[in-house]
């Protein structure tokens, strides 16, 4: 019934005519739309069955009225959502049947191994296209992609972010210095990606919403990489928890890098913070006013993306500020 909004279709012409000409008799409606009365009546029957138009009786003559377009659009949207939910449920049931029919001794049903190089790249693209809310990624070396590969990835990521998907990425600290990955990272952060840096992250990982995780590893028995696809399971939850733990430890970065270095006074304050000193103790030790210390501490926490003094100390040490 989506063509009811298409002015080039029979349904679209009939509905559009009724929107502009309320309580239209069938004969006049047929003449206005260029359809025969038989076709116009058949179309009206189809639209009435979908609660898009209703028949009225005015002066003993059958007339037709369109329901409000906003109501029609909302009804179509709800039907689409219901169909999509049913489709996903059917797909999940078939996936279970597929895996049950192919299970082997020792096979872990939530895990699938992808070794073909072309499919590994395809999995990455599909992962992004299927995300509805967020994509969490740990990006580690080696950065072996071509310039064209990174440009294609940028275009896809911009498209998905425009669609409302949030990207949170933990980069290896060396990404800044890579001639291809570095500029790519900078452009994506400028476009709205949330990025943090961490020295030597433990794995290359991507997680879409709460539905699929992909771990990419070097192949053991041949050149190239393999991807492990992990669906909702205890292993999936462990990977999700691992990402969030690393995210809290990682250092927030901006398009200009990790940010400017500390001046001598902020370094003293941060050192005392990391040792557990209170604002009052820092003020006494450095001969500063308490309000000055509170303001500087707040600024340091913001620059480090930290919520606690301990976390600020960890992240400052990772940046080489201590």
């Amino acid at each position: 019934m989506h063509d009811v909004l298409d002015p080039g279709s029979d349904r679209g012409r009939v509905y559009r005519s009724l929107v502009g000409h309320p309580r239209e008799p069938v004969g006049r409606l047929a003449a206005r739309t260029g359809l025969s009365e038989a076709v116009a009546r058949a179309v009206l029957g189809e639209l009435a069955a979908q609660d898009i138009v209703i028949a009225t009786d005015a002066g003993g003559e059958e007339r037709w009225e369109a329901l409000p377009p906003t109501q029609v659009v909302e009804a179509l949207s709800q039907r689409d959502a219901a169909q999509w939910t049913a489709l996903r449920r059917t797909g999940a049931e078939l996936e279970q049947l597929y895996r049950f029919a192919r299970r082997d001794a020792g096979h872990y049903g939530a895990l699938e191994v992808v070794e073909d190089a072309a499919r590994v790249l395809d999995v990455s693209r599909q992962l992004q296209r299927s995300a509805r809310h967020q994509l969490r990624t740990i990006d580690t070396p080696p950065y072996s992609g071509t310039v064209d590969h990174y440009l294609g990835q940028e275009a896809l990521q911009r498209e998905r972010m425009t669609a409302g998907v949030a990207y949170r990425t933990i980069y290896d600290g060396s990404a800044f210095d890579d001639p291809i990955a570095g500029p790519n990272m900078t452009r994506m952060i400028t476009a709205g990606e949330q990025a943090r840096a961490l020295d030597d992250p433990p794995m290359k990982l991507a997680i879409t919403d709460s539905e699929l995780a992909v771990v990419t590893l070097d192949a053991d028995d041949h050149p190239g990489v393999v991807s492990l696809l992990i669906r909702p399971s205890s292993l999936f939850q462990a990977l999700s928890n691992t990402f969030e733990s690393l995210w809290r430890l990682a250092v927030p970065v901006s398009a200009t890098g990790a940010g400017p270095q500390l001046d001598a006074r902020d370094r003293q304050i941060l050192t005392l913070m990391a040792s557990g000193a209170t604002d009052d103790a820092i003020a006494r030790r450095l001969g500063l006013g308490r309000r000055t210390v509170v303001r500087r501490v707040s600024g340091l926490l913001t620059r480090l993306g930290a919520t606690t003094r301990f976390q600020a100390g960890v992240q400052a040490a990772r940046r080489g500020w201590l």
Side-chain angles (χ1 to χ4, degrees):
M1 278 295 160
H2 288 83
D3 62 352
V4 72
L5 302 178
D6 178 5
S9 69
D10 289 349
R11 294 191 187 101
R13 286 198 294 272
V14 168
Y15 179 69
R16 185 174 290 261
S17 180
L18 288 176
V19 167
H21 302 87
R23 295 174 295 283
E24 187 93 298
V26 176
R28 195 177 304 162
L29 177 64
R32 196 183 300 279
T33 57
L35 302 174
S36 69
E37 285 198 28
V39 172
R41 195 175 295 280
V43 171
L44 287 167
E46 294 171 356
L47 296 178
Q50 296 294 323
D51 296 323
I52 294 173
V53 301
I54 57 173
T56 63
D57 186 2
E61 184 180 18
E62 180 185 2
R63 295 173 180 267
W64 290 86
E65 174 69 285
L67 293 180
T70 53
Q71 181 177 329
V72 171
V73 171
E74 179 62 25
L76 290 173
S77 298
Q78 290 179 1
R79 289 171 196 170
D80 282 349
Q83 290 172 354
W84 178 242
T85 299
L87 182 62
R88 290 179 65 84
R89 185 183 302 115
T90 300
E93 292 171 353
L94 288 174
E95 180 73 16
Q96 290 180 344
L97 177 60
Y98 177 90
R99 297 191 176 283
F100 178 80
R102 289 161 177 78
R103 67 182 180 181
D104 300 314
H107 177 70
Y108 184 52
L111 176 65
E112 178 184 350
V113 180
V114 176
E115 298 185 82
D116 178 72
R119 189 163 176 234
V120 167
L121 291 176
D122 187 58
V123 164
S124 174
R125 289 188 288 267
Q126 291 295 330
L127 188 76
Q128 295 178 74
R129 292 194 182 281
S130 66
R132 299 190 303 281
H133 304 295
Q134 72 166 331
L135 187 77
R136 296 173 286 172
T137 305
I138 300 176
D139 193 18
T140 63
Y143 303 111
S144 55
T146 64
V147 173
D148 287 344
H149 166 77
Y150 279 102
L151 290 177
Q153 165 57 29
E154 285 185 27
L156 176 57
Q157 183 169 337
R158 289 178 189 275
E159 173 189 319
R160 300 306 296 140
M161 288 195 295
T162 299
V165 177
Y167 276 67
R168 287 199 288 151
T169 304
I170 299 173
Y171 289 98
D172 186 278
S174 65
F176 288 101
D177 303 320
D178 187 88
I180 296 179
N184 165 261
M185 177 182 68
T186 299
R187 288 190 293 269
M188 290 299 91
I189 294 172
T190 301
E193 177 183 274
Q194 301 174 55
R196 297 193 175 191
L198 188 67
D199 291 336
D200 196 24
M203 70 187 85
K204 188 183 289 287
L205 172 68
I207 306 174
T208 177
D209 298 324
S210 299
E211 298 179 359
L212 182 67
V214 178
V215 178
T216 302
L217 307 166
D218 290 330
D220 292 329
D221 55 355
H222 60 80
V225 297
V226 297
S227 285
L228 308 180
L229 279 59
I230 300 99
R231 292 173 174 80
S233 58
S234 56
L235 176 57
F236 176 94
Q237 191 59 51
L239 290 170
S240 178
N241 293 343
T242 297
F243 177 90
E244 295 300 336
S245 295
L246 294 175
W247 180 261
R248 288 190 291 271
L249 291 174
V251 177
V253 297
S254 67
T256 56
Q261 295 297 308
L262 297 179
D263 61 26
R265 180 64 76 194
D266 278 344
R267 190 184 303 277
Q268 289 176 315
I269 292 174
L270 190 54
T271 300
L272 291 170
M273 282 172 56
S275 70
T278 65
D279 292 341
D280 289 332
I282 294 172
R284 289 194 300 270
R285 177 75 176 270
L286 300 180
L288 299 173
R290 185 179 185 282
R291 294 176 67 177
T292 299
V293 171
V294 169
R295 176 174 52 80
R296 284 187 173 248
V297 167
S298 176
L300 288 168
L301 290 173
T302 299
R303 288 173 65 184
L304 290 163
T307 56
T308 66
R309 290 167 180 255
F310 173 77
Q311 188 182 75
V314 170
Q315 295 184 359
R318 290 185 178 278
R319 290 195 189 197
W321 285 3
L322 296 177

